[in-house]
Amino acid sequence: EVQLVESGGGLVQPGRSLRLSCRASGFTFGDYGMHWVRQAPGKGLEWVGFIKSKDDGETRAYAASVQGRFTISRDDSKNVAYLQMSSLQTEDTAVFYCVRGRRPLSGPSGHYFDYWGQGARVTVSS
Amino acid sequence: DIQMTQSPSTLSASVGDRVTITCRASQSISGWLAWYQHKPGKVPRLLISKASSLESGVPSRFSGSGSGTEFTLTISSLQPDDFATYYCQQYITYSHTFGQGTKLEIK
Protein backbone atom coordinates (compact mmCIF):
# COMPACT_ATOMS: atom_id res chain seq x y z
CA GLU A 1 0.00 0.00 0.00
CA VAL A 2 1.37 3.40 -0.99
CA GLN A 3 1.77 5.68 1.99
CA LEU A 4 3.07 9.22 2.26
CA VAL A 5 3.48 10.64 5.75
CA GLU A 6 4.37 14.28 6.30
CA SER A 7 5.96 15.64 9.43
CA GLY A 8 7.53 18.85 10.65
CA GLY A 9 4.57 21.19 10.51
CA GLY A 10 3.73 23.67 13.22
CA LEU A 11 3.63 27.30 14.25
CA VAL A 12 6.47 29.53 13.06
CA GLN A 13 7.09 33.26 13.17
CA PRO A 14 7.26 35.34 9.99
CA GLY A 15 10.73 35.42 8.51
CA ARG A 16 11.75 32.11 10.08
CA SER A 17 12.41 28.75 8.45
CA LEU A 18 10.80 25.33 8.67
CA ARG A 19 11.49 21.97 7.07
CA LEU A 20 8.81 19.45 6.22
CA SER A 21 9.59 15.79 5.65
CA CYS A 22 7.64 13.21 3.68
CA ARG A 23 8.35 9.57 4.39
CA ALA A 24 7.21 7.23 1.62
CA SER A 25 6.50 3.52 1.64
CA GLY A 26 4.79 0.90 -0.47
CA PHE A 27 6.51 1.79 -3.76
CA THR A 28 9.96 2.27 -5.28
CA PHE A 29 10.47 5.83 -4.11
CA GLY A 30 13.44 6.52 -6.37
CA ASP A 31 11.37 5.90 -9.49
CA TYR A 32 8.98 8.79 -8.93
CA GLY A 33 8.93 12.55 -8.94
CA MET A 34 7.71 14.00 -5.68
CA HIS A 35 5.66 17.16 -5.33
CA TRP A 36 4.40 19.48 -2.64
CA VAL A 37 0.92 21.00 -2.96
CA ARG A 38 -0.62 23.35 -0.43
CA GLN A 39 -4.05 24.61 0.52
CA ALA A 40 -4.38 27.87 2.43
CA PRO A 41 -7.41 28.26 4.69
CA GLY A 42 -10.53 28.73 2.59
CA LYS A 43 -8.56 28.56 -0.65
CA GLY A 44 -7.98 26.02 -3.39
CA LEU A 45 -5.09 23.74 -4.14
CA GLU A 46 -1.80 25.38 -5.13
CA TRP A 47 1.13 23.49 -6.57
CA VAL A 48 4.31 24.43 -4.69
CA GLY A 49 7.10 22.56 -6.42
CA PHE A 50 8.62 19.21 -7.26
CA ILE A 51 11.75 17.19 -7.68
CA LYS A 52 12.11 14.61 -10.39
CA SER A 53 13.60 11.18 -9.94
CA LYS A 54 17.35 10.67 -10.13
CA ASP A 55 16.91 9.01 -13.53
CA ASP A 56 15.18 12.20 -14.67
CA GLY A 57 18.09 14.28 -13.43
CA GLU A 58 16.49 15.36 -10.13
CA THR A 59 15.22 18.44 -11.93
CA ARG A 60 13.42 20.85 -9.63
CA ALA A 61 10.75 23.43 -10.35
CA TYR A 62 8.81 25.80 -8.11
CA ALA A 63 5.78 28.02 -8.17
CA ALA A 64 6.59 31.70 -8.63
CA SER A 65 5.13 32.42 -5.18
CA VAL A 66 7.83 30.35 -3.45
CA GLN A 67 10.73 30.53 -5.92
CA GLY A 68 13.93 31.48 -4.11
CA ARG A 69 12.46 30.79 -0.66
CA PHE A 70 11.55 27.09 -0.81
CA THR A 71 13.82 24.18 -1.71
CA ILE A 72 12.80 20.59 -2.35
CA SER A 73 15.24 17.72 -1.93
CA ARG A 74 15.12 13.97 -1.61
CA ASP A 75 17.04 11.14 -0.01
CA ASP A 76 16.28 7.97 -1.93
CA SER A 77 18.24 5.85 0.56
CA LYS A 78 15.73 6.86 3.24
CA ASN A 79 12.63 7.17 1.03
CA VAL A 80 12.15 10.73 2.18
CA ALA A 81 11.38 14.00 0.41
CA TYR A 82 11.92 17.36 2.04
CA LEU A 83 10.50 20.84 1.71
CA GLN A 84 12.80 23.47 3.18
CA MET A 85 10.93 26.73 3.65
CA SER A 86 12.67 29.97 4.49
CA SER A 87 11.61 33.61 4.84
CA LEU A 88 8.14 32.39 5.68
CA GLN A 89 5.28 34.84 5.32
CA THR A 90 1.80 34.82 6.80
CA GLU A 91 0.51 34.02 3.29
CA ASP A 92 2.37 30.69 3.49
CA THR A 93 -0.04 29.46 6.17
CA ALA A 94 -1.52 26.30 4.70
CA VAL A 95 -1.82 22.56 4.81
CA PHE A 96 1.09 21.16 2.83
CA TYR A 97 0.57 17.85 1.04
CA CYS A 98 3.33 15.55 -0.14
CA VAL A 99 2.23 14.06 -3.44
CA ARG A 100 3.53 11.38 -5.77
CA GLY A 101 3.80 12.44 -9.39
CA ARG A 102 2.90 10.20 -12.30
CA ARG A 103 4.41 10.98 -15.65
CA PRO A 104 2.55 9.91 -18.79
CA LEU A 105 4.16 6.99 -20.65
CA SER A 106 4.49 9.28 -23.65
CA GLY A 107 4.05 13.00 -23.74
CA PRO A 108 5.18 15.94 -21.65
CA SER A 109 7.44 15.93 -18.63
CA GLY A 110 4.78 17.17 -16.26
CA HIS A 111 3.03 14.95 -13.75
CA TYR A 112 -0.41 14.29 -12.46
CA PHE A 113 -0.86 13.28 -8.85
CA ASP A 114 -1.98 9.81 -7.86
CA TYR A 115 -1.16 9.52 -4.14
CA TRP A 116 -1.37 12.21 -1.48
CA GLY A 117 -0.21 12.36 2.10
CA GLN A 118 -2.55 13.44 4.87
CA GLY A 119 -0.96 16.87 4.98
CA ALA A 120 1.11 18.91 7.42
CA ARG A 121 -0.31 22.12 8.80
CA VAL A 122 1.98 25.14 8.77
CA THR A 123 0.92 28.32 10.51
CA VAL A 124 3.00 31.44 10.07
CA SER A 125 2.11 33.97 12.73
CA SER A 126 3.76 36.22 15.28
CA ASP B 1 2.36 30.38 -16.99
CA ILE B 2 -0.77 28.57 -18.07
CA GLN B 3 -3.90 29.71 -16.22
CA MET B 4 -6.73 27.26 -15.53
CA THR B 5 -10.24 28.63 -15.02
CA GLN B 6 -13.13 26.51 -13.81
CA SER B 7 -16.80 27.30 -14.06
CA PRO B 8 -18.99 27.53 -12.20
CA SER B 9 -17.25 28.24 -8.90
CA THR B 10 -20.23 26.80 -7.05
CA LEU B 11 -22.86 24.42 -8.31
CA SER B 12 -26.04 23.42 -6.47
CA ALA B 13 -27.60 20.16 -7.55
CA SER B 14 -29.73 17.30 -6.31
CA VAL B 15 -29.10 13.58 -6.01
CA GLY B 16 -29.74 12.02 -9.39
CA ASP B 17 -28.90 15.16 -11.39
CA ARG B 18 -26.47 15.20 -14.27
CA VAL B 19 -23.85 17.89 -13.73
CA THR B 20 -21.03 19.29 -15.81
CA ILE B 21 -18.01 21.28 -14.68
CA THR B 22 -15.92 23.17 -17.22
CA CYS B 23 -12.20 23.87 -17.12
CA ARG B 24 -10.54 26.23 -19.58
CA ALA B 25 -6.81 26.63 -20.15
CA SER B 26 -5.25 29.95 -21.18
CA GLN B 27 -3.38 28.12 -23.95
CA SER B 28 -3.54 24.67 -25.46
CA ILE B 29 -2.60 21.83 -23.15
CA SER B 30 -3.55 19.13 -25.65
CA GLY B 31 -5.13 16.44 -23.44
CA TRP B 32 -2.78 16.76 -20.48
CA LEU B 33 -5.41 17.40 -17.85
CA ALA B 34 -6.37 15.68 -14.62
CA TRP B 35 -9.43 16.01 -12.39
CA TYR B 36 -9.49 15.61 -8.61
CA GLN B 37 -12.21 15.36 -5.97
CA HIS B 38 -11.55 16.91 -2.57
CA LYS B 39 -13.76 16.61 0.49
CA PRO B 40 -13.23 18.60 3.71
CA GLY B 41 -10.83 16.86 6.06
CA LYS B 42 -9.90 14.31 3.41
CA VAL B 43 -7.08 13.87 0.96
CA PRO B 44 -7.66 14.89 -2.69
CA ARG B 45 -8.51 11.94 -4.90
CA LEU B 46 -7.43 11.52 -8.53
CA LEU B 47 -10.45 10.84 -10.71
CA ILE B 48 -9.31 11.27 -14.30
CA SER B 49 -6.01 11.70 -16.14
CA LYS B 50 -5.28 12.60 -19.76
CA ALA B 51 -8.63 14.39 -19.93
CA SER B 52 -10.75 11.27 -20.14
CA SER B 53 -8.99 8.24 -18.61
CA LEU B 54 -10.88 7.11 -15.55
CA GLU B 55 -8.68 5.96 -12.68
CA SER B 56 -9.14 2.49 -11.29
CA GLY B 57 -11.89 2.34 -8.69
CA VAL B 58 -13.58 5.57 -9.78
CA PRO B 59 -17.30 5.03 -10.48
CA SER B 60 -18.32 5.04 -14.13
CA ARG B 61 -20.77 7.90 -13.53
CA PHE B 62 -17.70 10.16 -13.73
CA SER B 63 -16.43 11.03 -17.18
CA GLY B 64 -14.10 13.58 -18.70
CA SER B 65 -13.74 15.03 -22.15
CA GLY B 66 -12.06 17.78 -24.10
CA SER B 67 -8.75 18.77 -25.60
CA GLY B 68 -6.81 21.90 -26.37
CA THR B 69 -8.21 24.58 -24.09
CA GLU B 70 -11.66 23.38 -23.05
CA PHE B 71 -12.46 20.39 -20.87
CA THR B 72 -15.44 19.04 -18.97
CA LEU B 73 -16.04 16.74 -16.03
CA THR B 74 -19.49 15.17 -16.04
CA ILE B 75 -21.22 13.23 -13.30
CA SER B 76 -24.09 11.39 -14.93
CA SER B 77 -26.25 10.81 -11.84
CA LEU B 78 -25.19 12.55 -8.65
CA GLN B 79 -24.82 10.40 -5.56
CA PRO B 80 -24.66 11.70 -1.96
CA ASP B 81 -20.94 10.84 -1.83
CA ASP B 82 -20.19 13.16 -4.78
CA PHE B 83 -20.76 16.44 -2.99
CA ALA B 84 -17.24 17.86 -2.80
CA THR B 85 -14.92 20.36 -4.46
CA TYR B 86 -13.51 19.42 -7.85
CA TYR B 87 -10.24 20.66 -9.34
CA CYS B 88 -8.71 20.42 -12.76
CA GLN B 89 -4.91 20.45 -13.18
CA GLN B 90 -2.73 20.81 -16.25
CA TYR B 91 0.52 18.90 -16.56
CA ILE B 92 1.86 19.91 -19.93
CA THR B 93 4.24 22.33 -18.22
CA TYR B 94 6.21 22.25 -14.99
CA SER B 95 3.92 24.84 -13.43
CA HIS B 96 1.31 22.08 -12.84
CA THR B 97 -1.45 24.66 -12.43
CA PHE B 98 -4.76 23.86 -10.71
CA GLY B 99 -8.07 25.48 -11.47
CA GLN B 100 -9.60 27.45 -8.61
CA GLY B 101 -12.06 24.68 -7.82
CA THR B 102 -15.78 24.03 -8.22
CA LYS B 103 -17.76 23.38 -5.06
CA LEU B 104 -20.62 20.99 -5.69
CA GLU B 105 -23.33 21.56 -3.10
CA ILE B 106 -26.59 19.85 -2.27
CA LYS B 107 -29.59 21.81 -3.48
Side-chain angles (χ1 to χ4, degrees), chain B residues 2-27:
Chain B
I2 297 175
Q3 309 302 316
M4 306 301 292
T5 304
Q6 291 181 229
S7 59
S9 295
T10 307
L11 179 56
S12 296
S14 302
V15 172
D17 284 353
R18 177 185 180 91
V19 299
T20 297
I21 298 168
T22 298
C23 176
R24 289 185 174 87
S26 59
Q27 63 190 74

PDB file of all heavy atoms in Angstrom, chain B residues 2-27:
ATOM      1  N   ILE B   2       0.573  28.921 -17.625  1.00  0.00           N
ATOM      2  CA  ILE B   2      -0.767  28.574 -18.072  1.00  0.00           C
ATOM      3  C   ILE B   2      -1.750  28.781 -16.927  1.00  0.00           C
ATOM      4  O   ILE B   2      -1.535  28.305 -15.814  1.00  0.00           O
ATOM      5  CB  ILE B   2      -0.802  27.121 -18.564  1.00  0.00           C
ATOM      6  CG1 ILE B   2       0.118  26.957 -19.777  1.00  0.00           C
ATOM      7  CG2 ILE B   2      -2.239  26.714 -18.917  1.00  0.00           C
ATOM      8  CD1 ILE B   2       0.259  25.535 -20.275  1.00  0.00           C
ATOM      9  N   GLN B   3      -2.833  29.495 -17.210  1.00  0.00           N
ATOM     10  CA  GLN B   3      -3.902  29.705 -16.217  1.00  0.00           C
ATOM     11  C   GLN B   3      -5.030  28.724 -16.494  1.00  0.00           C
ATOM     12  O   GLN B   3      -5.384  28.487 -17.655  1.00  0.00           O
ATOM     13  CB  GLN B   3      -4.425  31.133 -16.281  1.00  0.00           C
ATOM     14  CG  GLN B   3      -3.346  32.204 -16.222  1.00  0.00           C
ATOM     15  CD  GLN B   3      -2.509  32.108 -14.968  1.00  0.00           C
ATOM     16  OE1 GLN B   3      -3.022  31.917 -13.870  1.00  0.00           O
ATOM     17  NE2 GLN B   3      -1.196  32.249 -15.117  1.00  0.00           N
ATOM     18  N   MET B   4      -5.598  28.191 -15.425  1.00  0.00           N
ATOM     19  CA  MET B   4      -6.731  27.265 -15.532  1.00  0.00           C
ATOM     20  C   MET B   4      -7.938  27.902 -14.852  1.00  0.00           C
ATOM     21  O   MET B   4      -7.845  28.321 -13.694  1.00  0.00           O
ATOM     22  CB  MET B   4      -6.395  25.927 -14.867  1.00  0.00           C
ATOM     23  CG  MET B   4      -5.113  25.277 -15.374  1.00  0.00           C
ATOM     24  SD  MET B   4      -5.116  24.925 -17.128  1.00  0.00           S
ATOM     25  CE  MET B   4      -6.360  23.642 -17.182  1.00  0.00           C
ATOM     26  N   THR B   5      -9.046  27.980 -15.556  1.00  0.00           N
ATOM     27  CA  THR B   5     -10.244  28.626 -15.025  1.00  0.00           C
ATOM     28  C   THR B   5     -11.402  27.651 -15.064  1.00  0.00           C
ATOM     29  O   THR B   5     -11.743  27.127 -16.129  1.00  0.00           O
ATOM     30  CB  THR B   5     -10.590  29.876 -15.854  1.00  0.00           C
ATOM     31  OG1 THR B   5      -9.468  30.763 -15.875  1.00  0.00           O
ATOM     32  CG2 THR B   5     -11.792  30.590 -15.261  1.00  0.00           C
ATOM     33  N   GLN B   6     -11.992  27.418 -13.902  1.00  0.00           N
ATOM     34  CA  GLN B   6     -13.125  26.511 -13.806  1.00  0.00           C
ATOM     35  C   GLN B   6     -14.427  27.302 -13.711  1.00  0.00           C
ATOM     36  O   GLN B   6     -14.476  28.394 -13.158  1.00  0.00           O
ATOM     37  CB  GLN B   6     -12.994  25.619 -12.572  1.00  0.00           C
ATOM     38  CG  GLN B   6     -11.888  24.602 -12.656  1.00  0.00           C
ATOM     39  CD  GLN B   6     -11.799  23.724 -11.431  1.00  0.00           C
ATOM     40  OE1 GLN B   6     -10.719  23.552 -10.869  1.00  0.00           O
ATOM     41  NE2 GLN B   6     -12.916  23.143 -11.011  1.00  0.00           N
ATOM     42  N   SER B   7     -15.473  26.719 -14.224  1.00  0.00           N
ATOM     43  CA  SER B   7     -16.801  27.299 -14.059  1.00  0.00           C
ATOM     44  C   SER B   7     -17.837  26.177 -13.960  1.00  0.00           C
ATOM     45  O   SER B   7     -17.687  25.127 -14.582  1.00  0.00           O
ATOM     46  CB  SER B   7     -17.137  28.233 -15.229  1.00  0.00           C
ATOM     47  OG  SER B   7     -17.101  27.531 -16.456  1.00  0.00           O
ATOM     48  N   PRO B   8     -18.875  26.386 -13.108  1.00  0.00           N
ATOM     49  CA  PRO B   8     -18.994  27.531 -12.202  1.00  0.00           C
ATOM     50  C   PRO B   8     -18.072  27.347 -10.987  1.00  0.00           C
ATOM     51  O   PRO B   8     -17.482  26.293 -10.811  1.00  0.00           O
ATOM     52  CB  PRO B   8     -20.463  27.477 -11.808  1.00  0.00           C
ATOM     53  CG  PRO B   8     -20.776  26.007 -11.818  1.00  0.00           C
ATOM     54  CD  PRO B   8     -19.967  25.426 -12.951  1.00  0.00           C
ATOM     55  N   SER B   9     -18.007  28.367 -10.149  1.00  0.00           N
ATOM     56  CA  SER B   9     -17.247  28.238  -8.900  1.00  0.00           C
ATOM     57  C   SER B   9     -18.021  27.419  -7.877  1.00  0.00           C
ATOM     58  O   SER B   9     -17.439  26.708  -7.069  1.00  0.00           O
ATOM     59  CB  SER B   9     -16.928  29.622  -8.332  1.00  0.00           C
ATOM     60  OG  SER B   9     -16.072  30.320  -9.205  1.00  0.00           O
ATOM     61  N   THR B  10     -19.336  27.557  -7.920  1.00  0.00           N
ATOM     62  CA  THR B  10     -20.229  26.797  -7.049  1.00  0.00           C
ATOM     63  C   THR B  10     -21.377  26.267  -7.876  1.00  0.00           C
ATOM     64  O   THR B  10     -21.873  26.961  -8.772  1.00  0.00           O
ATOM     65  CB  THR B  10     -20.765  27.686  -5.902  1.00  0.00           C
ATOM     66  OG1 THR B  10     -19.689  28.301  -5.224  1.00  0.00           O
ATOM     67  CG2 THR B  10     -21.583  26.859  -4.915  1.00  0.00           C
ATOM     68  N   LEU B  11     -21.784  25.056  -7.574  1.00  0.00           N
ATOM     69  CA  LEU B  11     -22.862  24.415  -8.312  1.00  0.00           C
ATOM     70  C   LEU B  11     -23.777  23.715  -7.310  1.00  0.00           C
ATOM     71  O   LEU B  11     -23.308  22.895  -6.510  1.00  0.00           O
ATOM     72  CB  LEU B  11     -22.269  23.406  -9.294  1.00  0.00           C
ATOM     73  CG  LEU B  11     -23.197  22.582 -10.182  1.00  0.00           C
ATOM     74  CD1 LEU B  11     -24.096  23.486 -11.007  1.00  0.00           C
ATOM     75  CD2 LEU B  11     -22.391  21.670 -11.087  1.00  0.00           C
ATOM     76  N   SER B  12     -25.044  24.070  -7.332  1.00  0.00           N
ATOM     77  CA  SER B  12     -26.037  23.425  -6.471  1.00  0.00           C
ATOM     78  C   SER B  12     -26.827  22.427  -7.293  1.00  0.00           C
ATOM     79  O   SER B  12     -27.341  22.776  -8.371  1.00  0.00           O
ATOM     80  CB  SER B  12     -26.975  24.464  -5.865  1.00  0.00           C
ATOM     81  OG  SER B  12     -26.261  25.336  -5.013  1.00  0.00           O
ATOM     82  N   ALA B  13     -26.911  21.208  -6.805  1.00  0.00           N
ATOM     83  CA  ALA B  13     -27.597  20.162  -7.552  1.00  0.00           C
ATOM     84  C   ALA B  13     -28.197  19.150  -6.585  1.00  0.00           C
ATOM     85  O   ALA B  13     -27.892  19.140  -5.388  1.00  0.00           O
ATOM     86  CB  ALA B  13     -26.631  19.479  -8.513  1.00  0.00           C
ATOM     87  N   SER B  14     -29.037  18.304  -7.117  1.00  0.00           N
ATOM     88  CA  SER B  14     -29.728  17.298  -6.311  1.00  0.00           C
ATOM     89  C   SER B  14     -29.233  15.905  -6.664  1.00  0.00           C
ATOM     90  O   SER B  14     -28.722  15.675  -7.781  1.00  0.00           O
ATOM     91  CB  SER B  14     -31.234  17.385  -6.537  1.00  0.00           C
ATOM     92  OG  SER B  14     -31.729  18.666  -6.223  1.00  0.00           O
ATOM     93  N   VAL B  15     -29.428  14.979  -5.732  1.00  0.00           N
ATOM     94  CA  VAL B  15     -29.095  13.578  -6.010  1.00  0.00           C
ATOM     95  C   VAL B  15     -29.869  13.128  -7.251  1.00  0.00           C
ATOM     96  O   VAL B  15     -31.056  13.419  -7.402  1.00  0.00           O
ATOM     97  CB  VAL B  15     -29.450  12.703  -4.795  1.00  0.00           C
ATOM     98  CG1 VAL B  15     -29.288  11.217  -5.132  1.00  0.00           C
ATOM     99  CG2 VAL B  15     -28.576  13.069  -3.604  1.00  0.00           C
ATOM    100  N   GLY B  16     -29.145  12.491  -8.154  1.00  0.00           N
ATOM    101  CA  GLY B  16     -29.745  12.024  -9.391  1.00  0.00           C
ATOM    102  C   GLY B  16     -29.534  12.953 -10.575  1.00  0.00           C
ATOM    103  O   GLY B  16     -29.722  12.538 -11.728  1.00  0.00           O
ATOM    104  N   ASP B  17     -29.139  14.190 -10.315  1.00  0.00           N
ATOM    105  CA  ASP B  17     -28.904  15.156 -11.390  1.00  0.00           C
ATOM    106  C   ASP B  17     -27.665  14.786 -12.201  1.00  0.00           C
ATOM    107  O   ASP B  17     -26.746  14.128 -11.711  1.00  0.00           O
ATOM    108  CB  ASP B  17     -28.704  16.571 -10.824  1.00  0.00           C
ATOM    109  CG  ASP B  17     -29.980  17.233 -10.374  1.00  0.00           C
ATOM    110  OD1 ASP B  17     -31.073  16.667 -10.599  1.00  0.00           O
ATOM    111  OD2 ASP B  17     -29.895  18.350  -9.787  1.00  0.00           O
ATOM    112  N   ARG B  18     -27.673  15.254 -13.436  1.00  0.00           N
ATOM    113  CA  ARG B  18     -26.471  15.202 -14.272  1.00  0.00           C
ATOM    114  C   ARG B  18     -25.821  16.573 -14.205  1.00  0.00           C
ATOM    115  O   ARG B  18     -26.492  17.585 -14.413  1.00  0.00           O
ATOM    116  CB  ARG B  18     -26.852  14.879 -15.720  1.00  0.00           C
ATOM    117  CG  ARG B  18     -25.693  14.858 -16.710  1.00  0.00           C
ATOM    118  CD  ARG B  18     -26.228  14.637 -18.124  1.00  0.00           C
ATOM    119  NE  ARG B  18     -25.179  14.617 -19.123  1.00  0.00           N
ATOM    120  CZ  ARG B  18     -24.554  13.513 -19.512  1.00  0.00           C
ATOM    121  NH1 ARG B  18     -24.864  12.352 -18.973  1.00  0.00           N
ATOM    122  NH2 ARG B  18     -23.598  13.574 -20.439  1.00  0.00           N
ATOM    123  N   VAL B  19     -24.532  16.606 -13.869  1.00  0.00           N
ATOM    124  CA  VAL B  19     -23.851  17.890 -13.733  1.00  0.00           C
ATOM    125  C   VAL B  19     -22.582  17.895 -14.572  1.00  0.00           C
ATOM    126  O   VAL B  19     -21.946  16.860 -14.784  1.00  0.00           O
ATOM    127  CB  VAL B  19     -23.511  18.219 -12.265  1.00  0.00           C
ATOM    128  CG1 VAL B  19     -24.777  18.304 -11.436  1.00  0.00           C
ATOM    129  CG2 VAL B  19     -22.540  17.214 -11.679  1.00  0.00           C
ATOM    130  N   THR B  20     -22.237  19.103 -15.015  1.00  0.00           N
ATOM    131  CA  THR B  20     -21.025  19.290 -15.814  1.00  0.00           C
ATOM    132  C   THR B  20     -20.242  20.464 -15.273  1.00  0.00           C
ATOM    133  O   THR B  20     -20.804  21.532 -15.016  1.00  0.00           O
ATOM    134  CB  THR B  20     -21.378  19.530 -17.292  1.00  0.00           C
ATOM    135  OG1 THR B  20     -22.039  18.380 -17.806  1.00  0.00           O
ATOM    136  CG2 THR B  20     -20.113  19.777 -18.107  1.00  0.00           C
ATOM    137  N   ILE B  21     -18.945  20.250 -15.102  1.00  0.00           N
ATOM    138  CA  ILE B  21     -18.015  21.284 -14.677  1.00  0.00           C
ATOM    139  C   ILE B  21     -17.056  21.535 -15.836  1.00  0.00           C
ATOM    140  O   ILE B  21     -16.559  20.589 -16.458  1.00  0.00           O
ATOM    141  CB  ILE B  21     -17.232  20.843 -13.428  1.00  0.00           C
ATOM    142  CG1 ILE B  21     -18.191  20.612 -12.250  1.00  0.00           C
ATOM    143  CG2 ILE B  21     -16.163  21.858 -13.058  1.00  0.00           C
ATOM    144  CD1 ILE B  21     -17.557  19.908 -11.060  1.00  0.00           C
ATOM    145  N   THR B  22     -16.787  22.801 -16.107  1.00  0.00           N
ATOM    146  CA  THR B  22     -15.921  23.174 -17.220  1.00  0.00           C
ATOM    147  C   THR B  22     -14.595  23.709 -16.717  1.00  0.00           C
ATOM    148  O   THR B  22     -14.539  24.408 -15.699  1.00  0.00           O
ATOM    149  CB  THR B  22     -16.605  24.239 -18.094  1.00  0.00           C
ATOM    150  OG1 THR B  22     -17.799  23.697 -18.642  1.00  0.00           O
ATOM    151  CG2 THR B  22     -15.693  24.683 -19.231  1.00  0.00           C
ATOM    152  N   CYS B  23     -13.547  23.388 -17.433  1.00  0.00           N
ATOM    153  CA  CYS B  23     -12.199  23.866 -17.119  1.00  0.00           C
ATOM    154  C   CYS B  23     -11.583  24.392 -18.411  1.00  0.00           C
ATOM    155  O   CYS B  23     -11.551  23.669 -19.418  1.00  0.00           O
ATOM    156  CB  CYS B  23     -11.366  22.725 -16.548  1.00  0.00           C
ATOM    157  SG  CYS B  23      -9.634  23.125 -16.207  1.00  0.00           S
ATOM    158  N   ARG B  24     -11.145  25.622 -18.387  1.00  0.00           N
ATOM    159  CA  ARG B  24     -10.542  26.231 -19.575  1.00  0.00           C
ATOM    160  C   ARG B  24      -9.088  26.604 -19.290  1.00  0.00           C
ATOM    161  O   ARG B  24      -8.783  27.182 -18.236  1.00  0.00           O
ATOM    162  CB  ARG B  24     -11.318  27.471 -20.002  1.00  0.00           C
ATOM    163  CG  ARG B  24     -12.673  27.165 -20.602  1.00  0.00           C
ATOM    164  CD  ARG B  24     -13.384  28.399 -21.145  1.00  0.00           C
ATOM    165  NE  ARG B  24     -14.615  28.047 -21.844  1.00  0.00           N
ATOM    166  CZ  ARG B  24     -15.788  27.899 -21.253  1.00  0.00           C
ATOM    167  NH1 ARG B  24     -15.885  28.076 -19.935  1.00  0.00           N
ATOM    168  NH2 ARG B  24     -16.858  27.575 -21.962  1.00  0.00           N
ATOM    169  N   ALA B  25      -8.230  26.299 -20.248  1.00  0.00           N
ATOM    170  CA  ALA B  25      -6.813  26.633 -20.150  1.00  0.00           C
ATOM    171  C   ALA B  25      -6.525  27.887 -20.967  1.00  0.00           C
ATOM    172  O   ALA B  25      -7.144  28.113 -22.009  1.00  0.00           O
ATOM    173  CB  ALA B  25      -5.958  25.472 -20.654  1.00  0.00           C
ATOM    174  N   SER B  26      -5.579  28.687 -20.497  1.00  0.00           N
ATOM    175  CA  SER B  26      -5.253  29.945 -21.178  1.00  0.00           C
ATOM    176  C   SER B  26      -4.498  29.719 -22.488  1.00  0.00           C
ATOM    177  O   SER B  26      -4.390  30.633 -23.307  1.00  0.00           O
ATOM    178  CB  SER B  26      -4.438  30.851 -20.250  1.00  0.00           C
ATOM    179  OG  SER B  26      -3.240  30.208 -19.859  1.00  0.00           O
ATOM    180  N   GLN B  27      -3.976  28.519 -22.676  1.00  0.00           N
ATOM    181  CA  GLN B  27      -3.379  28.121 -23.947  1.00  0.00           C
ATOM    182  C   GLN B  27      -3.530  26.610 -24.060  1.00  0.00           C
ATOM    183  O   GLN B  27      -3.847  25.933 -23.076  1.00  0.00           O
ATOM    184  CB  GLN B  27      -1.910  28.544 -24.047  1.00  0.00           C
ATOM    185  CG  GLN B  27      -1.006  27.910 -23.031  1.00  0.00           C
ATOM    186  CD  GLN B  27       0.370  28.543 -23.014  1.00  0.00           C
ATOM    187  OE1 GLN B  27       0.556  29.647 -22.529  1.00  0.00           O
ATOM    188  NE2 GLN B  27       1.352  27.831 -23.554  1.00  0.00           N
TER     189      GLN B  27
END
